[in-house]
Amino acid sequence: MGKLQELREAAGLTQAQLAKAAGTSQPQIFRLEKSKRTLSKDWAERLAPALRTSPAALMFDQAAATGLPIVGVAQAGAFREVAVFDYDEDDRPMIALARDFRFPDASQYALQVAGESMNRRYPNGTFVSCVAWADTGRMDPVPGMCLHVERHQGPLVEVTLKLYAERDGKRWLEPDSTDGRFKPIEINGDDGTEIVVKGLVTGSWRPETFD
């Protein structure tokens, strides 16, 4: 049983009654309870009053039970035509990673790591949870943060993870790898790419391998 269903039943409401209170239909409540529709901030604000909870708490509780959407693959050196998976919001695959409670109102998502550029901390196949940078409330990163970064080169985009560092009056994005082929990238340097910080990495999970 999902958290939304638990809260509805604890409030003594049927799906139809909750739908009426939120100005929607019973099938929509069914989809939300079964995670066939994403519980967005707008949905949380509509449902929370009838459930006697706050929108932020409702979003956290539901996401903790259902996980985060996997929106793409982070792989240094792989420039592609799209930065994230081309899924409708309601059809994105999910992974059982809880939302970070420090950012209750933020957009949160997961990326799968491919390759070896961050293999000291995120081996190939690891999933990382991220908070959208625009929702962190920060203007600038802090050294040591791991960032979800996009590098744009014409129509192509590289999605990668990098550690933020400051040295010699310059700002850098650094790999954390046993492979010496991966080099630091100077922000505002002259490598022909546009760098965009998209998210802050807040956690990770790696499936066990069995030989």
Side-chain angles (χ1 to χ4, degrees):
M1 181 187 300
K3 195 65 179 182
L4 178 57
Q5 183 178 348
E6 288 183 15
L7 290 171
R8 174 179 60 77
E9 293 182 355
L13 299 173
T14 65
Q15 288 183 346
Q17 288 170 330
L18 179 57
K20 183 177 180 180
T24 187
S25 64
Q26 180 273 329
Q28 291 284 46
I29 300 299
F30 173 83
R31 294 187 188 100
L32 288 164
E33 289 188 350
K34 300 301 182 183
S35 299
K36 296 181 180 294
R37 178 171 291 279
T38 301
L39 184 65
S40 64
K41 184 178 180 181
D42 178 66
W43 276 114
E45 289 174 345
R46 293 168 65 178
L47 296 169
L51 298 173
R52 306 188 191 99
T53 187
S54 69
L58 178 56
M59 289 180 70
F60 174 78
D61 288 340
Q62 181 73 356
T66 60
L68 297 177
I70 304 170
V71 302
V73 174
Q75 183 175 11
F79 283 83
R80 300 183 174 94
E81 293 184 354
V82 294
V84 298
F85 292 149
D86 187 20
Y87 290 118
D88 290 335
E89 181 179 352
D90 295 336
D91 295 329
R92 285 176 174 171
M94 306 291 288
I95 186 169
L97 294 175
R99 289 174 57 88
D100 192 309
F101 67 89
R102 294 170 293 181
F103 305 93
D105 296 323
S107 173
Q108 301 191 32
Y109 57 92
L111 292 167
Q112 185 172 20
V113 178
E116 306 300 327
S117 71
M118 293 292 289
N119 64 9
R120 291 185 187 274
R121 62 177 61 199
Y122 306 130
N124 183 50
T126 299
F127 290 88
V128 295
S129 54
C130 303
V131 173
W133 185 256
D135 293 341
T136 63
R138 293 181 177 273
M139 295 298 293
D140 293 300
V142 173
M145 282 182 169
C146 186
L147 304 176
H148 161 208
V149 176
E150 288 183 1
R151 290 203 299 157
H152 295 253
Q153 190 175 65
L156 303 179
V157 183
E158 175 202 52
V159 177
T160 185
L161 305 180
K162 290 290 186 289
L163 297 179
Y164 177 76
E166 296 178 353
R167 293 193 312 276
D168 304 323
K170 297 179 180 179
R171 301 185 301 157
W172 300 85
L173 297 172
E174 299 187 329
D176 190 9
S177 177
T178 59
D179 188 334
R181 292 176 298 174
F182 296 100
K183 305 297 183 183
I185 301 166
E186 182 186 351
I187 299 177
N188 300 325
D190 188 21
D191 71 343
T193 64
E194 176 190 0
I195 296 173
V196 180
V197 176
K198 300 295 290 185
L200 172 65
V201 177
T202 57
S204 65
W205 176 79
R206 181 169 63 93
E208 289 291 339
T209 57
F210 303 98
D211 295 329

